[in-house]
Amino acid sequence: MANVTDTYYANDTDIGYGSQLLVGQGDGSPETFVAVYGVVSIKLGKLTNEKIRRTHLRSIGRAHEYTTGLADYEAIQVRVNWNPSHGSQSAAGLIDGFTGVGLLGLQISQATTNFKAVIPIGGAPFEWPFSGKVMSFDPPEINNEGLLEATFEIQPVSDYRGELP
């Protein structure tokens, strides 16, 4: 897209329909990736820089001064229609394309795993790879209304901003 300063233009942003979370199977190079079943939403973690106050007693204008420190990234939240018997969500895995454990098994084992968020942007899939650990599993609320939805949180273990365009 060109410079849009002082320009009127149509919004061409896509919706998330068709997105997937893929889990690496640790089977060498090239690694095989398999989709998680029933993904309702993927909330990519906020990317931030540490804010460090460097104010001193004679700061200009009686105002705080700041600089930046290390980059940080919040956990990625994946909400699913819970199906504990599907290999992608189970502790055991070994079915439904999973040659290792599912997300619950990854949470239990605390293994570092390769993931990809695949997002259809402009009709082409944009893959955002990252390595992470499944830090938590929030089981669904069981009631008479709505679907059983569970949430997994995946903490990236290193900087993955370099994969952005």
Side-chain angles (χ1 to χ4, degrees):
M1 180 175 246
N3 182 344
V4 295
T5 305
D6 296 328
T7 304
Y8 295 95
Y9 52 93
N11 183 351
D12 59 358
T13 304
D14 289 325
I15 62 172
Y17 182 77
S19 296
Q20 311 180 73
L21 179 71
L22 304 180
V23 182
Q25 299 303 293
D27 56 354
S29 181
E31 185 172 20
T32 304
F33 284 82
V34 182
V36 173
Y37 172 84
V39 174
V40 174
S41 67
I42 303 168
K43 171 66 174 98
L44 297 169
K46 183 164 117 179
L47 307 172
T48 62
N49 292 320
E50 180 182 20
K51 181 170 91 173
I52 300 172
R53 192 177 347 196
R54 62 182 196 184
T55 309
H56 54 90
L57 295 175
R58 301 210 27 107
S59 288
I60 296 172
R62 293 182 55 162
H64 288 292
E65 298 176 68
Y66 295 94
T67 190
T68 55
L70 298 177
D72 202 0
Y73 24 85
E74 293 179 357
I76 294 163
Q77 297 178 3
V78 181
R79 194 165 45 108
V80 298
N81 288 325
W82 190 48
N83 182 349
S85 63
H86 193 275
S88 65
Q89 297 182 21
S90 71
L94 300 177
I95 56 173
D96 304 316
F98 275 70
T99 57
V101 298
L103 290 177
L104 183 56
L106 291 172
Q107 191 272 331
I108 293 166
S109 72
Q110 301 179 22
T112 299
T113 305
N114 293 324
F115 296 90
K116 290 181 185 178
V118 181
I119 310 153
I121 297 177
F126 170 72
E127 293 186 353
W128 193 348
F130 61 95
S131 293
K133 293 180 179 279
V134 179
M135 301 301 285
S136 69
F137 167 63
D138 187 6
E141 178 181 337
I142 300 168
N143 59 44
N144 288 329
E145 298 175 15
L147 298 174
L148 296 175
E149 291 184 350
T151 302
F152 292 92
E153 282 193 347
I154 304 167
Q155 178 62 53
V157 295
S158 60
D159 188 359
Y160 62 104
R161 297 171 298 167
E163 303 299 332
L164 293 172

